[in-house]
Amino acid sequence: MTQRRHTHHLPTKAGWLTLFGVVPDHGLHRRSSDVLRVVSGVLLFALGTIGALSYSHFERSIHSAVESLPDPVLRVASIANGGGVVVAIIVVYVIALSSRRMRFIAGITIALGGGALIVLGLQHLIDAPSVVGAAAKGLSHYPQFPPLRITVLAAVFFVAGPELTRPSRRLMMTLLLIVAVSATARTDGYPAGIFGAIALGWAIAASIHLALGSPDGAPDPTEVTSDLATIGITAQELAVSSVQAWGEKAYDGTTSDGTPLRVVVIGRDATDAQLLTKLGRFLWYKDSGPVLNFSRQGQIEHRAFALLLAQRADVRVPSVVTAATIGSRGDATLVLDATSGTTFDQATPETLTDDVLADAWAELNKLHNAGITHGGIWAKTFLVTAEGAAFSDLATANTTPDQDAYLSDRVALLATLADLVGDQRAINAAMSSLGKDGLAALLPYLQTTALPRVNRRSADGLKKLCAKLREEISTATGVEAPKLEELRRVAPSSILIAAFTILGMYLLIGQFAHVEWSTMFKDAHWIWVPVVFLLAWVPIGGLSMSLLGSVSKPLPLRPVVMLEIGTKFTGLAGGGVTTFALQVRFFQKQGLKSAVAVTSSLLNSVASGFTEVVFLLVALIFGASAFSLSKGGSGSSSGLSGKLMILAIVIAVIAAIVFTIPGLRHRITKFLVPQIKAAKDNLAAVMKEPRKGLQMLAGNAISQIFYALVLWAALHTYGESLGLMQLIIINTFASILGGIAPVPGGIGVIEAGLIAGFTAAGIPDQQAIAATFTARMFTAYLPPIWGWLSINWLRHRDYV
């Protein structure tokens, strides 16, 4: 065991150069607390936005109080807000350059340039003076939100903070406070707006730290050695461990007698990491994992408790030497007598014998019999030692697990071993340990969702591996693979759909709120409304024709028409994925094979997109000259066009990022290439009958033309009109935007595209918004009602 020596260590005082310089760089670290800062910063910015746009009496009172401060105070604050800001940023930049840390330099540069671009974009998007109605209220000046100077200054200071020593950080925060006071006095922003700007700068800085990393702030091995000496533990040759967990720092070394030593220093980030993990598991999964500890001391005590329980059950785990709070920073520290051995991922194939695999299962069974689950099994969890397989640590152990946690542990070990030694040996080892029934019980849990996050990141092609293991275990046990257990509380896609639906509704309400409906309805030509209603039905016939042409087998017309009506409901309720699934199910019920059903639906979508592009190009050639972004009634078209331009830029940037990152590009390509190949094969089969190909393209063409005619009739309702080519451009542009945006039914996005197109073509704002509402009423808002009735009709007749 480790020898403890009671000595006292007094920290040395740092010199002035150290106090006012940069912190030692022990390497990069992406802090879990930065995730919380991003989320908190965005939420606080949202609150600041609400306050900045309210122009409340309380805001004005604080502004008046700040203005009444003594002149010398305001003069100092004004100087700080002027040249002081520039000097401070230059000084920080010089410190970054002198440190020669590319991460530091890049972070400051991104905070300056990126922060300024974000602020300018938000100012254009929010347009605070217009929202507040500064002109109507007689205000000669109302500041834009968020204010540029203080937001960028806050971003720069918060980015530089982790790189600088504490006195430097205090000076920066003092200057930021002075600038905030000056900005309030000079009406560069009201208090809520200043608060929101600082919160935005905080969030931007945290995002930069997440992307680039920041100094880990953990003590170096020498400091840890000295701190351990204060509690009587002599450590030698302490070095940063190659195996790290998020939010903590681990060190490997030896004692004076050569016993391997592992020291885990748990700073504040470890608590943040556990909180984020717990919160994430609670949101996504039914099993939220171990009990949350809000203190670092409680966290290491729980970890030490799990190790002691496991050791009492004769499980091979590291021995606990001590768990204590040490050092001047009060870091919680866990000291272990580490187990000597080689992790499974570093072991040679000859070392991972069948006996070792069986021993790993035996150790896991003993841990489970003690009422403990590991919760994070992967290739580095087990060591090959002289005694056999052993656990390297129990960092994610749960001492109050449910039944799913036990099964997830077994699935994780099975998948890990299969990835290391092959499917058959892993299954044989599991069968020997669990028996046929125990192995068959894993079938519903053989999915990536049941695996710990670290395992999901480490094993390549883990989804395919789980599917293959399900098939092989089903064969080995003679048990038909059951339906996968639903472990998620909610799918991320559902969250995204809900979030973007809310965004779409926000855009929708924002556009329609500016119309004087009583005046518009009073002057409307109501005879055109039935025309809009009737024309809105014709595109359904065109889409039905296209669907009939996408497969070589003849299909009954009436059910196909009902299917297209039903997609109006699924498109709004679940988006394109749900509509695609409905079409595939319909084709399968008509006797088509699954592959043909999928590719036929995909082919129909490709034909629709192809038709849109062709119509857009033709219409642009003949009708684009009629457009001008300077046209429109009250000038709001330029603001809307600017918002659409920002949306287009954001989509382009996201697409560029996705296709720049190799991992994302590989996943997207891996998904798209087989789909494109399948569609190509089906297209070749369909094109063997030119009539089918013509039917498919003609159906989509009819749909596009009559959607444009719906807009034509809607404009006539309010005394306006545009040419067919112009309407085709507007409708196609809006449809493309709605298809790109992940909003069910394109709600809000299509409306914004239509209004922007109308105003760009010279339609006054009020009429453009009213016509859009009328057209969408009969093509998007009401159709889900009869779409739901159509789906019920199809279900009762066993068509879906």
Side-chain angles (χ1 to χ4, degrees):
M1 291 290 294
T2 303
Q3 298 297 317
R4 303 183 65 164
R5 178 169 53 89
H6 295 280
T7 60
H8 296 280
H9 173 75
L10 297 175
T12 59
K13 293 184 178 180
W16 287 103
L17 290 177
T18 302
L19 289 175
F20 290 96
V22 295
V23 298
D25 191 357
H26 300 313
L28 289 177
H29 189 65
R30 287 177 174 83
R31 302 173 185 274
S32 53
S33 56
D34 285 331
V35 179
L36 291 175
R37 291 188 181 100
V38 172
V39 175
S40 301
V42 171
L43 292 176
L44 293 174
F45 171 70
L47 291 175
T49 303
I50 295 172
L53 300 180
S54 66
Y55 190 57
S56 64
H57 176 72
F58 179 69
E59 291 271 292
R60 298 195 296 274
S61 300
I62 296 178
H63 171 64
S64 301
V66 173
E67 275 188 321
S68 64
L69 291 173
D71 287 342
V73 174
L74 294 179
R75 194 173 298 113
V76 171
S78 179
I79 294 172
N81 195 12
V85 170
V86 177
V87 171
I89 292 176
I90 291 175
V91 168
V92 171
Y93 210 87
V94 168
I95 293 174
L97 292 172
S98 63
S99 69
R100 298 182 180 179
R101 298 178 184 175
M102 291 306 299
R103 175 194 67 246
F104 191 6
I105 298 170
I108 298 298
T109 304
I110 294 173
L112 281 170
L117 288 175
I118 291 172
V119 170
L120 292 175
L122 288 172
Q123 285 182 352
H124 183 81
L125 190 64
I126 296 172
D127 195 10
S130 297
V131 175
V132 172
K137 294 178 179 178
L139 300 175
S140 59
H141 167 72
Y142 192 86
Q144 286 284 358
F145 177 81
L148 176 63
R149 181 175 309 196
I150 194 166
T151 305
V152 172
L153 181 68
V156 169
F157 280 3
F158 286 126
V159 165
E163 305 279 355
L164 303 176
T165 53
R166 183 175 298 176
S168 301
R169 294 197 297 269
R170 287 176 176 171
L171 284 175
M172 290 192 304
M173 292 304 104
T174 302
L175 177 60
L176 186 62
L177 178 62
I178 293 173
V179 171
V181 172
S182 173
T184 304
R186 292 174 44 177
T187 326
D188 288 340
Y190 286 93
I194 300 297
F195 173 79
I198 294 174
L200 177 61
W202 192 43
I204 292 172
S207 301
I208 294 172
H209 288 155
L210 278 176
L212 302 180
S214 58
D216 61 8
D220 60 27
T222 305
E223 291 179 84
V224 177
T225 302
S226 301
D227 290 338
L228 289 175
T230 63
I231 59 173
I233 296 177
T234 302
Q236 297 178 353
E237 301 178 0
L238 209 61
V240 176
S241 175
S242 60
V243 181
Q244 298 289 339
W246 190 30
E248 62 185 41
K249 198 76 170 180
Y251 307 83
D252 293 330
T254 60
T255 61
S256 56
D257 60 0
T259 302
L261 198 67
R262 181 173 177 82
V263 181
V264 179
V265 176
I266 303 179
R268 184 178 304 162
D269 281 337
T271 305
D272 295 334
Q274 191 187 50
L275 175 61
L276 286 174
T277 302
K278 184 77 175 180
L279 180 61
R281 288 197 63 88
F282 174 77
L283 290 175
W284 304 127
Y285 301 104
K286 296 176 182 177
D287 171 29
S288 58
V291 176
L292 179 63
N293 285 297
F294 286 97
S295 71
R296 290 172 282 172
Q297 187 66 29
Q299 188 172 339
I300 62 166
E301 287 174 356
H302 177 270
R303 191 156 161 185
F305 173 67
L307 287 166
L308 291 172
L309 282 181
Q311 194 172 27
R312 180 185 297 176
D314 201 27
V315 183
R316 297 191 192 104
V317 292
S319 301
V320 177
V321 176
T322 188
T325 302
I326 63 174
S328 58
R329 300 184 308 175
D331 289 331
T333 305
L334 180 65
V335 184
L336 306 172
D337 274 337
T339 306
S340 297
T342 306
T343 56
F344 274 18
D345 64 321
Q346 298 295 325
T348 61
E350 295 78 16
T351 307
L352 293 176
T353 63
D354 291 341
D355 290 339
V356 172
L357 303 185
D359 209 28
W361 278 105
E363 291 300 303
L364 181 61
N365 288 336
K366 285 192 289 184
L367 187 71
H368 285 178
N369 291 336
I372 305 170
T373 54
H374 189 281
I377 294 177
W378 66 307
K380 291 186 180 295
T381 297
F382 281 98
L383 302 169
V384 180
T385 69
E387 293 80 18
F391 286 101
S392 58
D393 199 353
L394 296 181
T396 54
N398 187 357
T399 55
T400 57
D402 60 12
Q403 187 61 31
D404 286 347
Y406 291 107
L407 294 169
S408 295
D409 262 3
R410 291 167 186 162
V411 166
L413 179 56
L414 175 62
T416 299
L417 295 181
D419 190 53
L420 292 173
V421 302
D423 302 351
Q424 198 55 53
R425 288 185 60 196
I427 290 174
N428 291 341
M431 178 81 80
S432 300
S433 175
L434 303 175
K436 183 180 291 187
D437 293 340
L439 185 58
L442 301 185
L443 285 171
Y445 294 84
L446 268 168
Q447 52 184 300
T448 54
T449 309
L451 300 175
R453 183 178 57 149
V454 67
N455 206 335
R456 294 200 297 270
R457 290 180 177 178
S458 62
D460 185 29
L462 204 57
K463 188 174 183 179
K464 288 185 177 179
L465 176 63
C466 288
K468 189 177 179 183
L469 286 173
R470 273 174 60 85
E471 293 178 5
E472 294 177 350
I473 291 174
S474 179
T475 303
T477 59
V479 177
E480 184 179 353
K483 181 182 176 181
L484 291 174
E485 185 73 17
E486 187 56 58
L487 300 176
R488 280 198 179 115
R489 191 186 304 274
V490 61
S493 58
S494 301
I495 298 292
L496 287 176
I497 288 176
F500 281 111
T501 299
I502 294 172
L503 174 62
M505 294 304 297
Y506 167 77
L507 293 173
L508 183 65
I509 294 171
Q511 295 301 327
F512 292 161
H514 299 292
V515 177
E516 296 178 5
W517 292 104
S518 58
T519 303
M520 294 304 302
F521 287 155
K522 180 180 178 181
D523 298 334
H525 305 289
W526 291 99
I527 190 64
W528 284 99
V529 174
V531 178
V532 176
F533 173 75
L534 293 174
L535 288 174
W537 282 93
V538 180
I540 294 175
L543 294 173
S544 301
M545 182 189 301
S546 174
L547 198 63
L548 288 169
S550 66
V551 292
S552 55
K553 177 182 177 179
L555 297 176
L557 177 60
R558 186 181 180 189
V560 171
V561 174
M562 297 299 286
L563 174 68
E564 282 302 326
I565 298 173
T567 60
K568 299 296 183 180
F569 174 77
T570 57
L572 182 65
V577 176
T578 308
T579 299
F580 184 79
L582 178 67
Q583 291 177 341
V584 169
R585 183 61 176 166
F586 177 81
F587 283 142
Q588 289 174 333
K589 285 286 188 176
Q590 294 301 310
L592 297 176
K593 293 182 179 180
S594 297
V596 176
V598 171
T599 53
S600 296
S601 297
L602 180 63
L603 179 60
N604 192 44
S605 300
V606 171
S608 175
F610 174 77
T611 307
E612 284 183 353
V613 172
V614 170
F615 267 79
L616 182 61
L617 292 176
V618 173
L620 282 172
I621 294 172
F622 294 102
S625 60
F627 288 87
S628 173
L629 290 178
S630 63
K631 294 181 181 181
S634 60
S636 66
S637 63
S638 61
L640 182 58
S641 302
K643 294 176 183 178
L644 289 172
M645 182 65 70
I646 292 173
L647 177 63
I649 292 172
V650 169
I651 292 172
V653 169
I654 292 174
I657 291 173
V658 166
F659 283 96
T660 301
I661 300 173
L664 289 176
R665 185 176 67 247
H666 174 70
R667 292 181 67 177
I668 292 175
T669 305
K670 193 174 180 180
F671 172 76
L672 288 180
V673 169
Q675 303 294 338
I676 294 173
K677 184 178 182 300
K680 181 181 177 183
D681 295 339
N682 198 23
L683 177 63
V686 171
M687 287 305 179
K688 289 179 181 178
E689 299 182 51
R691 182 179 61 85
K692 286 285 187 180
L694 182 62
Q695 186 179 10
M696 185 169 56
L697 295 176
N700 279 293
I702 291 172
S703 172
Q704 291 298 315
I705 291 171
F706 275 87
Y707 272 131
L709 290 175
V710 169
L711 299 179
W712 172 78
L715 284 172
H716 275 76
T717 305
Y718 302 99
E720 300 291 338
S721 181
L722 289 175
L724 181 61
M725 288 300 177
Q726 294 170 279
L727 292 170
I728 289 176
I729 293 175
I730 294 169
N731 177 68
T732 307
F733 169 71
S735 298
I736 291 173
L737 279 180
I740 293 174
V743 181
I747 295 294
V749 179
I750 292 179
E751 283 81 357
L754 292 175
I755 294 168
F758 284 152
T759 54
I763 302 298
D765 298 339
Q766 297 284 311
Q767 284 79 359
I769 296 173
T772 298
F773 173 76
T774 303
R776 292 286 285 169
M777 175 66 70
F778 297 110
T779 59
Y781 308 150
L782 294 179
I785 298 174
W786 37 83
W788 179 76
L789 296 174
S790 297
I791 291 178
N792 284 333
W793 185 90
L794 291 168
R795 282 176 176 169
H796 290 157
R797 288 158 180 79
D798 200 29
Y799 283 114
V800 293

PDB file of all heavy atoms in Angstrom, residues 34-48:
ATOM      1  N   ASP A  34     -18.241  25.281 -20.350  1.00  0.00           N
ATOM      2  CA  ASP A  34     -18.453  26.172 -21.488  1.00  0.00           C
ATOM      3  C   ASP A  34     -19.791  25.876 -22.175  1.00  0.00           C
ATOM      4  O   ASP A  34     -20.402  26.779 -22.745  1.00  0.00           O
ATOM      5  CB  ASP A  34     -17.309  26.035 -22.499  1.00  0.00           C
ATOM      6  CG  ASP A  34     -16.041  26.725 -22.019  1.00  0.00           C
ATOM      7  OD1 ASP A  34     -16.170  27.709 -21.261  1.00  0.00           O
ATOM      8  OD2 ASP A  34     -14.939  26.288 -22.382  1.00  0.00           O
ATOM      9  N   VAL A  35     -20.218  24.627 -22.142  1.00  0.00           N
ATOM     10  CA  VAL A  35     -21.532  24.301 -22.691  1.00  0.00           C
ATOM     11  C   VAL A  35     -22.612  25.032 -21.907  1.00  0.00           C
ATOM     12  O   VAL A  35     -23.544  25.623 -22.476  1.00  0.00           O
ATOM     13  CB  VAL A  35     -21.777  22.775 -22.665  1.00  0.00           C
ATOM     14  CG1 VAL A  35     -23.162  22.446 -23.215  1.00  0.00           C
ATOM     15  CG2 VAL A  35     -20.704  22.045 -23.452  1.00  0.00           C
ATOM     16  N   LEU A  36     -22.492  24.989 -20.577  1.00  0.00           N
ATOM     17  CA  LEU A  36     -23.459  25.711 -19.752  1.00  0.00           C
ATOM     18  C   LEU A  36     -23.399  27.209 -20.004  1.00  0.00           C
ATOM     19  O   LEU A  36     -24.433  27.893 -20.001  1.00  0.00           O
ATOM     20  CB  LEU A  36     -23.173  25.428 -18.270  1.00  0.00           C
ATOM     21  CG  LEU A  36     -23.456  24.001 -17.781  1.00  0.00           C
ATOM     22  CD1 LEU A  36     -23.014  23.852 -16.334  1.00  0.00           C
ATOM     23  CD2 LEU A  36     -24.922  23.662 -17.915  1.00  0.00           C
ATOM     24  N   ARG A  37     -22.190  27.734 -20.249  1.00  0.00           N
ATOM     25  CA  ARG A  37     -22.057  29.166 -20.511  1.00  0.00           C
ATOM     26  C   ARG A  37     -22.726  29.558 -21.826  1.00  0.00           C
ATOM     27  O   ARG A  37     -23.351  30.622 -21.919  1.00  0.00           O
ATOM     28  CB  ARG A  37     -20.577  29.559 -20.528  1.00  0.00           C
ATOM     29  CG  ARG A  37     -19.920  29.484 -19.168  1.00  0.00           C
ATOM     30  CD  ARG A  37     -18.509  30.072 -19.203  1.00  0.00           C
ATOM     31  NE  ARG A  37     -17.885  29.973 -17.892  1.00  0.00           N
ATOM     32  CZ  ARG A  37     -17.022  29.058 -17.535  1.00  0.00           C
ATOM     33  NH1 ARG A  37     -16.664  28.131 -18.403  1.00  0.00           N
ATOM     34  NH2 ARG A  37     -16.504  29.028 -16.335  1.00  0.00           N
ATOM     35  N   VAL A  38     -22.576  28.726 -22.833  1.00  0.00           N
ATOM     36  CA  VAL A  38     -23.230  29.016 -24.110  1.00  0.00           C
ATOM     37  C   VAL A  38     -24.741  29.057 -23.929  1.00  0.00           C
ATOM     38  O   VAL A  38     -25.416  30.010 -24.358  1.00  0.00           O
ATOM     39  CB  VAL A  38     -22.844  27.970 -25.179  1.00  0.00           C
ATOM     40  CG1 VAL A  38     -23.687  28.167 -26.432  1.00  0.00           C
ATOM     41  CG2 VAL A  38     -21.370  28.080 -25.523  1.00  0.00           C
ATOM     42  N   VAL A  39     -25.278  28.025 -23.295  1.00  0.00           N
ATOM     43  CA  VAL A  39     -26.732  27.955 -23.099  1.00  0.00           C
ATOM     44  C   VAL A  39     -27.213  29.118 -22.223  1.00  0.00           C
ATOM     45  O   VAL A  39     -28.191  29.806 -22.554  1.00  0.00           O
ATOM     46  CB  VAL A  39     -27.124  26.600 -22.470  1.00  0.00           C
ATOM     47  CG1 VAL A  39     -28.611  26.575 -22.152  1.00  0.00           C
ATOM     48  CG2 VAL A  39     -26.761  25.456 -23.407  1.00  0.00           C
ATOM     49  N   SER A  40     -26.507  29.346 -21.106  1.00  0.00           N
ATOM     50  CA  SER A  40     -26.911  30.435 -20.207  1.00  0.00           C
ATOM     51  C   SER A  40     -26.793  31.785 -20.895  1.00  0.00           C
ATOM     52  O   SER A  40     -27.670  32.651 -20.747  1.00  0.00           O
ATOM     53  CB  SER A  40     -26.050  30.415 -18.942  1.00  0.00           C
ATOM     54  OG  SER A  40     -26.164  29.189 -18.270  1.00  0.00           O
ATOM     55  N   GLY A  41     -25.706  31.974 -21.658  1.00  0.00           N
ATOM     56  CA  GLY A  41     -25.508  33.240 -22.358  1.00  0.00           C
ATOM     57  C   GLY A  41     -26.613  33.519 -23.362  1.00  0.00           C
ATOM     58  O   GLY A  41     -27.108  34.649 -23.461  1.00  0.00           O
ATOM     59  N   VAL A  42     -27.021  32.495 -24.107  1.00  0.00           N
ATOM     60  CA  VAL A  42     -28.086  32.678 -25.089  1.00  0.00           C
ATOM     61  C   VAL A  42     -29.410  33.001 -24.396  1.00  0.00           C
ATOM     62  O   VAL A  42     -30.168  33.885 -24.839  1.00  0.00           O
ATOM     63  CB  VAL A  42     -28.228  31.410 -25.962  1.00  0.00           C
ATOM     64  CG1 VAL A  42     -29.472  31.489 -26.829  1.00  0.00           C
ATOM     65  CG2 VAL A  42     -26.995  31.225 -26.834  1.00  0.00           C
ATOM     66  N   LEU A  43     -29.697  32.302 -23.287  1.00  0.00           N
ATOM     67  CA  LEU A  43     -30.934  32.578 -22.557  1.00  0.00           C
ATOM     68  C   LEU A  43     -30.932  33.997 -21.974  1.00  0.00           C
ATOM     69  O   LEU A  43     -31.940  34.711 -22.060  1.00  0.00           O
ATOM     70  CB  LEU A  43     -31.123  31.550 -21.438  1.00  0.00           C
ATOM     71  CG  LEU A  43     -31.411  30.110 -21.885  1.00  0.00           C
ATOM     72  CD1 LEU A  43     -31.475  29.183 -20.673  1.00  0.00           C
ATOM     73  CD2 LEU A  43     -32.716  30.031 -22.668  1.00  0.00           C
ATOM     74  N   LEU A  44     -29.809  34.411 -21.407  1.00  0.00           N
ATOM     75  CA  LEU A  44     -29.715  35.764 -20.850  1.00  0.00           C
ATOM     76  C   LEU A  44     -29.800  36.812 -21.953  1.00  0.00           C
ATOM     77  O   LEU A  44     -30.383  37.889 -21.758  1.00  0.00           O
ATOM     78  CB  LEU A  44     -28.416  35.914 -20.062  1.00  0.00           C
ATOM     79  CG  LEU A  44     -28.312  35.077 -18.777  1.00  0.00           C
ATOM     80  CD1 LEU A  44     -26.924  35.192 -18.163  1.00  0.00           C
ATOM     81  CD2 LEU A  44     -29.372  35.504 -17.767  1.00  0.00           C
ATOM     82  N   PHE A  45     -29.213  36.500 -23.095  1.00  0.00           N
ATOM     83  CA  PHE A  45     -29.322  37.411 -24.236  1.00  0.00           C
ATOM     84  C   PHE A  45     -30.780  37.551 -24.666  1.00  0.00           C
ATOM     85  O   PHE A  45     -31.237  38.656 -25.013  1.00  0.00           O
ATOM     86  CB  PHE A  45     -28.468  36.906 -25.397  1.00  0.00           C
ATOM     87  CG  PHE A  45     -28.688  37.652 -26.680  1.00  0.00           C
ATOM     88  CD1 PHE A  45     -28.257  38.961 -26.824  1.00  0.00           C
ATOM     89  CD2 PHE A  45     -29.340  37.050 -27.746  1.00  0.00           C
ATOM     90  CE1 PHE A  45     -28.472  39.659 -28.010  1.00  0.00           C
ATOM     91  CE2 PHE A  45     -29.557  37.730 -28.930  1.00  0.00           C
ATOM     92  CZ  PHE A  45     -29.118  39.047 -29.059  1.00  0.00           C
ATOM     93  N   ALA A  46     -31.513  36.435 -24.654  1.00  0.00           N
ATOM     94  CA  ALA A  46     -32.936  36.486 -25.006  1.00  0.00           C
ATOM     95  C   ALA A  46     -33.707  37.382 -24.026  1.00  0.00           C
ATOM     96  O   ALA A  46     -34.555  38.189 -24.438  1.00  0.00           O
ATOM     97  CB  ALA A  46     -33.525  35.078 -25.026  1.00  0.00           C
ATOM     98  N   LEU A  47     -33.398  37.246 -22.728  1.00  0.00           N
ATOM     99  CA  LEU A  47     -34.047  38.116 -21.739  1.00  0.00           C
ATOM    100  C   LEU A  47     -33.670  39.575 -21.973  1.00  0.00           C
ATOM    101  O   LEU A  47     -34.520  40.476 -21.878  1.00  0.00           O
ATOM    102  CB  LEU A  47     -33.637  37.689 -20.329  1.00  0.00           C
ATOM    103  CG  LEU A  47     -34.166  36.333 -19.843  1.00  0.00           C
ATOM    104  CD1 LEU A  47     -33.574  35.998 -18.479  1.00  0.00           C
ATOM    105  CD2 LEU A  47     -35.684  36.349 -19.772  1.00  0.00           C
ATOM    106  N   GLY A  48     -32.382  39.812 -22.281  1.00  0.00           N
ATOM    107  CA  GLY A  48     -31.952  41.172 -22.580  1.00  0.00           C
ATOM    108  C   GLY A  48     -32.645  41.739 -23.799  1.00  0.00           C
ATOM    109  O   GLY A  48     -32.969  42.930 -23.859  1.00  0.00           O
TER     110      GLY A  48
END
